[in-house]
């Protein structure tokens, strides 16, 4: 097998153009990601997923951001979910079961559309100064509790035949700026980060895929984690994450420079694959060229992640819905 391209890329519209098909055939990205502009109805989404996989000639993973709350690309007629933090608080002592059921139902919807990955669980630990763009997406303020809820989310995905992507490694909760717009700088020392922020990722270090945080942890390295070899060593050696590591979107404003240069720097730092979103075709081409093929180690991790995909378990979806409704008080 030839190695996959070290990228995850998106499409401009509801179907691939002839130019996009030719580009993806040549670039052979590891996988794809969908956004709201790629979504009209179920038949269209399935056709787009087929286009993407046909272009690369294999069952490439196709991911999406379907957390619930503000971050859910699928909306009505699909299920619309409250923000995770409010959902966890409402579920109370039964939050782990509720989160499992929530994401098992999400996995059911995704898999029916041809989508077999989701950028969740989010196990960033919320704190008193967590920026509003992230806070209600978190699961709580206690790292052990967040880890347990993250495990439930991951298991709900896997049972539904969908690969979870744990994020944002090694922890985004202390950020007081929105990394879509600025580079957050966290000045906590290494010991404090290890005790709190890193802990949920260590507990979930066996998951097949993870996504980086575009944060500067100034006590360790002023360079953003996504392009920091020091932080990537901590993620691999201290946190012990053994799965495939993708960047968060390299077009976010927390990172500076041309996307091709950022992609190259992230891979040199130790990421396995660069995620590029919302770019024109020329930029996608430049990033694919700069990224090249996966390293042998990255290819091994990619193949292991794909091997974690399994057929959905046989469940009564209506019964799961009823069980969740009872937990959430109707």
């Amino acid at each position: 097998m030839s190695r996959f391209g070290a990228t995850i890329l998106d499409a401009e519209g509801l179907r691939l153009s002839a130019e996009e098909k030719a580009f993806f055939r040549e670039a052979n990205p590891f996988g794809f990601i969908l956004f709201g502009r790629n979504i009209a109805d179920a038949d269209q989404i399935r056709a787009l997923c087929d286009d993407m996989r046909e272009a690369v000639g294999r069952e490439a993973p196709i991911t999406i951001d379907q957390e619930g709350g503000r971050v859910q690309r699928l909306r009505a007629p699909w299920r619309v979910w409250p923000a995770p933090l409010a959902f966890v608080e409402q579920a109370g002592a039964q939050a782990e079961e509720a989160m499992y059921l929530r994401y098992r139902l999400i996995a059911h919807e995704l898999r029916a559309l041809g989508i077999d990955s989701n950028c969740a669980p989010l196990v960033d630990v919320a704190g008193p100064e967590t920026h509003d763009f992230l806070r209600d997406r978190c699961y709580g303020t206690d790292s052990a509790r967040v880890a347990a809820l993250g495990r439930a989310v991951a298991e709900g995905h896997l049972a539904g035949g969908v690969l979870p992507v744990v994020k944002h490694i090694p922890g985004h909760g202390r950020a007081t700026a929105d990394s879509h717009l600025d580079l957050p700088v966290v000045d906590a020392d290494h010991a404090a980060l290890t005790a709190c922020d890193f802990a949920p990722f260590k507990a979930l270090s066996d998951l097949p895929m993870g996504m980086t945080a575009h944060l500067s942890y100034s006590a360790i390295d002023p360079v953003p984690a996504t392009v920091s070899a020091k932080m990537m060593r901590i993620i691999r050696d201290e946190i012990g994450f053994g799965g495939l590591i993708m960047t968060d979107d390299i077009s976010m404003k927390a990172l500076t420079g041309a996307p091709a240069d950022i992609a190259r720097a992230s891979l040199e730092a130790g990421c396995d694959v660069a995620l590029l979103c919302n770019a024109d075709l020329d930029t996608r081409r430049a990033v694919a060229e700069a990224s090249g093929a996966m390293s042998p180690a990255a290819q091994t991790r990619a193949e292991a992640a794909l091997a974690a995909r399994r057929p959905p378990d046989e469940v009564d979806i209506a019964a799961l819905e009823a069980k969740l409704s009872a937990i959430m008080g109707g």
Side-chain angles (χ1 to χ4, degrees):
M1 177 192 299
S2 60
R3 282 181 271 155
F4 306 135
T7 51
I8 295 173
L9 302 172
D10 60 0
E12 292 182 4
L14 300 177
R15 296 292 297 269
L16 295 188
S17 67
E19 205 172 8
E20 284 178 316
K21 289 179 181 179
F23 164 59
F24 290 144
R25 191 172 299 115
E26 179 182 358
N28 190 29
F30 168 65
F32 300 93
I33 187 167
L34 302 184
F35 287 90
R37 67 178 181 277
N38 306 126
I39 292 164
D41 56 53
D43 288 342
Q44 169 271 318
I45 296 169
R46 283 190 287 266
L48 176 59
C49 290
D50 288 345
D51 282 350
M52 289 171 161
R53 292 184 171 119
E54 183 180 352
V56 295
R58 56 184 165 82
E59 286 296 302
I62 298 176
T63 196
I64 196 168
D65 283 298
Q66 191 70 2
E67 298 174 10
R70 288 175 292 109
V71 181
Q72 48 189 324
R73 309 305 181 200
L74 297 174
R75 295 183 177 270
W78 295 280
R79 295 177 182 87
V80 177
W81 299 93
L85 187 59
F87 183 88
V88 166
E89 290 171 349
Q90 183 179 347
Q94 294 178 278
E96 286 180 46
E97 185 177 13
M99 289 288 268
Y100 174 90
L101 292 168
R102 168 179 165 135
Y103 287 94
R104 179 62 185 85
L105 292 170
I106 287 173
H108 176 73
E109 291 190 324
L110 296 181
R111 184 72 183 229
L113 298 170
I115 302 166
D116 59 2
S117 174
N118 190 20
C119 296
L122 183 151
V123 295
D124 304 316
V125 181
E129 297 184 348
T130 302
H131 193 280
D132 286 346
F133 100 94
L134 186 73
R135 184 173 178 81
D136 67 353
R137 300 165 59 193
C138 297
Y139 304 162
T141 59
D142 176 78
S143 58
R145 175 77 165 151
V146 168
L149 292 165
R151 176 65 67 183
V153 170
E155 292 300 325
H157 281 99
L158 290 167
V162 171
L163 290 173
V165 180
V166 64
K167 61 187 184 185
H168 303 85
I169 297 175
H172 210 304
R174 293 181 193 262
T176 57
D178 181 349
S179 52
H180 294 87
L181 305 174
D182 298 291
L183 174 63
V185 178
V186 170
D187 60 7
D189 64 28
H190 196 149
L193 292 167
T194 298
C196 179
D197 305 62
F198 297 172
F201 296 98
K202 189 175 182 70
L204 301 178
S205 60
D206 60 311
L207 292 185
M209 295 195 289
M211 175 186 286
T212 64
H214 293 334
L215 268 68
S216 168
Y217 303 85
S218 60
I220 299 170
D221 190 349
V223 174
T226 299
V227 293
S228 167
K230 288 182 181 179
M231 291 305 305
M232 291 304 301
R233 282 195 296 271
I234 287 172
I235 289 168
R236 291 298 190 194
D237 298 338
E238 182 180 319
I239 293 173
F241 191 81
L244 178 133
I245 295 179
M246 68 179 72
T247 70
D248 202 347
D249 176 14
I250 60 172
S251 72
M252 292 164 61
K253 302 306 181 186
L255 305 179
T256 58
D261 294 334
I262 296 169
R264 190 180 296 108
S266 70
L267 298 173
E268 289 174 352
C271 295
D272 295 314
V273 62
L275 170 66
L276 175 67
C277 308
N278 305 309
D280 59 29
L281 189 55
D282 286 343
T283 303
R284 283 184 277 166
R285 283 196 178 104
V287 165
E289 183 177 356
S291 301
M294 284 185 166
S295 70
Q299 181 75 21
T300 297
R301 287 189 281 265
E303 292 174 6
L306 295 180
R309 289 187 298 194
R310 62 180 191 244
D313 58 3
E314 295 186 9
V315 294
D316 182 334
I317 293 298
L320 296 187
E321 289 176 319
K323 191 173 186 179
L324 180 57
S325 179
I327 290 172
M328 304 305 290

